[in-house]
Amino acid sequence: MQILFGGSSSGKSVFKAQQCVFDILQGGRNYLVTRKVADTINSSVRAEIIKAIKSMGLESEFNIPKSTFTITCSNGYQILFAGLDDVEKLKSITPALGVITDIWVEEATEAVRDDIKQLDKRLRGGEEDTPKRLCLTFNPILQNHWIYSDYFRTVGWRDDTTQIRLPNLAITKTTYKDNKFLTTQDRTKLENETDAYYYSVYTLGNWGILGNVIFTNWSVQDLS
């Protein structure tokens, strides 16, 4: 399991999109890229992968049809896209060549625990020397989320931790400070965030505490 998470504009999705393109181009790997809602894929993670292909000047190496959720490399390996709206449909998704070796779940905090379990079952078969990989990318939300309970609390994660490497789990935390391509205007906006919860989560990339949401941004009104 690979987890890439952190604050806004930290470059984690851009990095993963570039890695996806590079892996497919090298051959031997097929990606299944998912989000909770299928309708959000075209304008988000698929667009990010297409942007990566174009920025590398690799348009001639990839077939990118407008009408299907499939991008095919000239070597036959593919990037497949699917929503988690109906996880059962994922059982029938098969690449044209080989098996699915990599699953990338963008905005993974939208998914429920069973979604990820079903996806993990898709990583089977193929060559023994090709490791299967499941990657979650997201901005952290609240510490009562199942991802925090399953993967962060169990390893004693702290806000000042940036990396953990275990045999079956790798976690990397990034913030806007790790993105050298970010504009000065974007940096200033993140640094000047006045809401304590949003500053902690979206600027510093920390998991939020439930109390901050319950006891802030409230007012007393006379509704009589």
Side-chain angles (χ1 to χ4, degrees):
M1 170 76 75
Q2 178 188 38
I3 295 178
L4 305 176
F5 87 108
S8 295
S9 304
S10 64
K12 51 192 174 295
S13 296
V14 174
F15 161 77
K16 191 60 188 179
Q18 293 173 341
Q19 183 186 47
C20 173
V21 173
F22 181 78
D23 285 342
I24 296 297
L25 191 65
Q26 294 301 301
R29 310 197 75 90
N30 291 294
Y31 269 70
L32 172 60
V33 183
T34 74
R35 279 194 66 170
K36 181 63 178 177
V37 180
D39 288 345
T40 63
I41 289 175
N42 248 335
S43 60
S44 59
V45 65
R46 186 172 184 270
E48 198 66 68
I49 289 174
I50 293 173
K51 189 187 301 183
I53 291 172
K54 292 181 177 179
S55 69
M56 296 179 191
L58 296 172
E59 295 97 319
S60 62
E61 296 293 337
F62 289 89
N63 178 26
I64 311 173
K66 293 182 178 180
S67 58
T68 63
F69 272 16
T70 303
I71 294 176
T72 304
C73 185
S74 57
N75 59 20
Y77 291 94
Q78 295 179 308
I79 306 168
L80 310 173
F81 301 88
L84 299 176
D85 314 65
D86 186 353
V87 183
E88 288 297 311
K89 291 182 180 179
L90 297 177
K91 295 178 180 179
S92 61
I93 294 179
T94 304
L97 179 64
V99 299
I100 293 172
T101 59
D102 293 77
I103 297 179
W104 171 17
V105 186
E106 172 72 325
E107 302 295 351
T109 50
E110 300 172 346
V112 298
R113 184 184 282 108
D114 192 56
D115 290 342
I116 305 303
K117 287 184 177 180
Q118 290 290 338
L119 287 173
D120 197 37
K121 292 179 181 179
R122 296 289 296 130
L123 293 172
R124 60 181 184 271
E127 299 295 331
E128 290 292 337
D129 58 353
T130 302
K132 308 299 191 304
R133 303 181 300 197
L134 175 60
C135 178
L136 311 182
T137 58
F138 57 89
N139 297 119
I141 48 175
L142 295 173
Q143 289 185 8
N144 65 345
H145 195 280
W146 70 267
I147 290 180
Y148 185 86
S149 300
D150 286 11
Y151 302 112
F152 288 79
R153 182 173 289 120
T154 55
V155 297
W157 184 269
R158 303 187 315 176
D159 285 344
D160 60 354
T161 309
T162 57
Q163 285 192 342
I164 282 183
R165 294 289 183 270
L166 299 173
N168 296 313
L169 176 65
I171 301 177
T172 300
K173 172 186 173 181
T174 55
T175 70
Y176 73 98
K177 293 181 180 180
D178 298 297
N179 186 356
K180 65 180 182 180
F181 300 104
L182 203 61
T183 66
T184 300
Q185 182 179 3
D186 288 336
R187 287 176 177 270
T188 301
K189 185 177 180 180
L190 286 165
E191 291 169 348
N192 293 341
E193 175 60 62
T194 58
D195 184 284
Y197 171 78
Y198 282 95
Y199 183 81
S200 178
V201 171
Y202 295 106
T203 301
L204 301 181
N206 298 327
W207 284 91
I209 299 173
L210 187 60
N212 288 346
V213 175
I214 294 177
F215 298 111
T216 62
N217 298 325
W218 61 275
S219 62
V220 176
Q221 299 183 30
D222 183 0
L223 302 178
S224 59

